[in-house]
Amino acid sequence: MSLAIQVAIYGNRVANMILNTADLVISVGARLSLRQIGNMPEYFAPNAKLIRADIDQYELSRFIKSDEEKYLKDAKEFLEELILEDIPKYTEWHKACFKAKKILEKIDIVEGNLCMAKLSTMLPANPIIAVDVGQNQCWSAQSLELKGHGGRLLIGGGYGSMGCGLPYAIGASIATNNGVVYCVTGDGGLQMNIQELQTVVREKLPIKILVLNNHALGKISEVQAVSYEGRFAQTTAESGYTVPNFANIARAYGIKSDTLKTYKDLDEYKSWMKDDSPCLIDISLSDDTKLIPKVNWNEKEIKPAIDETIERKVLYILNK
């Protein structure tokens, strides 16, 4: 018996491949909404028995699979009971999953992922990171690697609360007695609450704001490109969307700032990431930066396709 956790439409390729080959999925406190499983539930974990635990009875009123098991329980209570069960060893399956991950670790890496990987090397142990909604959120989930076990990644989840990154960071800093908080945001998200830079200054909050700036509303423009035949509307420079000079705006508020041509220059700002004052670093990305991989809404295939030899090798490992 193989075990897997559920992943989202923008989840890592290996996680989706593991999900597709697993024969048991245990979902604890996850909605398994359409944004997670796609528009056709029969494509979600097609070979797996599904066990769901949730504290919300209305979430459990929906069926993902006709034969699923449901438990109306607090996550802690459910997991404590699960641990008491006679659970077989999954050592070989565990090894297979990590072997597949190793094979695919260089696949699906784009500029946004590389930026998050670079940021990971600069963060202290147990950091608090507030992430906005958009492409930056998915790149963070895919590629941020946190040191320690006490860190916190604050996200809007499935609420689609674009612009939440800076307010989340402010709340987290105040809650930790003006502690250092790292805010990962996009050019679109930051513009929705940019006035809160004054709160950062007034309250003397050491928030480190990193803007992943591709000069577009990237996630929305991707949908317009794929689903609406490239009819862009207020999402790209050509269709009416523009961005200001964020570094100049931050300086006007009294926050030290700079604009980088590439994420590779982040190393020059290590001291900014460690001191007790706020900063803003505007990191330029390519205008056409994409989110990959993606499980399309009405399909089970993971796109873009990869080399068939590599795909077959991974599937062989997971299906042994």
Side-chain angles (χ1 to χ4, degrees), residues 198-234:
Q198 184 59 37
T199 304
V200 173
V201 173
R202 186 184 68 237
E203 301 300 326
K204 298 181 174 62
L205 304 175
I207 296 174
K208 316 299 183 178
I209 304 166
L210 296 108
V211 187
L212 274 62
N213 188 351
N214 60 357
H215 305 88
L217 296 179
K219 205 168 185 184
I220 303 171
S221 66
E222 281 194 51
V223 174
Q224 292 175 346
V226 175
S227 302
Y228 297 94
E229 300 176 349
R231 295 195 295 273
F232 299 104
Q234 281 73 51

Side-chain angles (χ1 to χ4, degrees), residues 6-20 101 104-105 107-109 113 138-145 292-295 302:
Q6 59 81 215
V7 292
I9 289 174
Y10 288 106
N12 290 326
R13 185 181 298 266
V14 68
N16 279 293
M17 294 181 75
I18 289 170
L19 184 70
N20 286 338
K101 180 181 179 181
L104 294 172
E105 65 180 357
I107 304 294
D108 303 319
I109 301 300
N113 299 107
C138 297
W139 290 324
S140 296
Q142 290 174 344
S143 300
L144 266 181
E145 295 186 11
I292 62 172
K294 180 179 180 181
V295 180
I302 306 171

Side-chain angles (χ1 to χ4, degrees), residues 194-316:
I194 199 167
Q195 75 283 351
E196 297 304 334
L197 290 174
Q198 184 59 37
T199 304
V200 173
V201 173
R202 186 184 68 237
E203 301 300 326
K204 298 181 174 62
L205 304 175
I207 296 174
K208 316 299 183 178
I209 304 166
L210 296 108
V211 187
L212 274 62
N213 188 351
N214 60 357
H215 305 88
L217 296 179
K219 205 168 185 184
I220 303 171
S221 66
E222 281 194 51
V223 174
Q224 292 175 346
V226 175
S227 302
Y228 297 94
E229 300 176 349
R231 295 195 295 273
F232 299 104
Q234 281 73 51
T235 58
T236 62
E238 295 76 15
S239 65
Y241 173 79
T242 57
V243 300
N245 186 314
F246 291 111
N248 284 348
I249 292 175
R251 291 190 195 105
Y253 279 101
I255 297 173
K256 63 184 177 185
S257 60
D258 209 346
T259 301
L260 309 188
K261 292 182 179 180
T262 170
Y263 67 89
K264 297 176 183 178
D265 294 335
L266 274 172
D267 282 328
E268 299 176 19
Y269 298 85
K270 288 181 179 179
S271 61
W272 287 23
M273 303 291 282
K274 297 177 181 179
D275 62 26
D276 293 326
S277 62
C279 68
L280 183 147
I281 303 176
D282 183 6
I283 307 168
S284 296
L285 302 179
S286 303
D287 293 357
D288 61 348
T289 304
K290 297 292 190 295
L291 269 178
I292 62 172
K294 180 179 180 181
V295 180
N296 282 353
W297 188 249
N298 293 320
E299 301 177 9
K300 56 185 175 181
E301 286 79 16
I302 306 171
K303 295 184 177 181
I306 60 174
D307 183 272
E308 289 185 9
T309 303
I310 296 176
E311 184 175 23
R312 284 197 301 268
K313 184 176 181 179
V314 172
L315 289 174
Y316 174 76

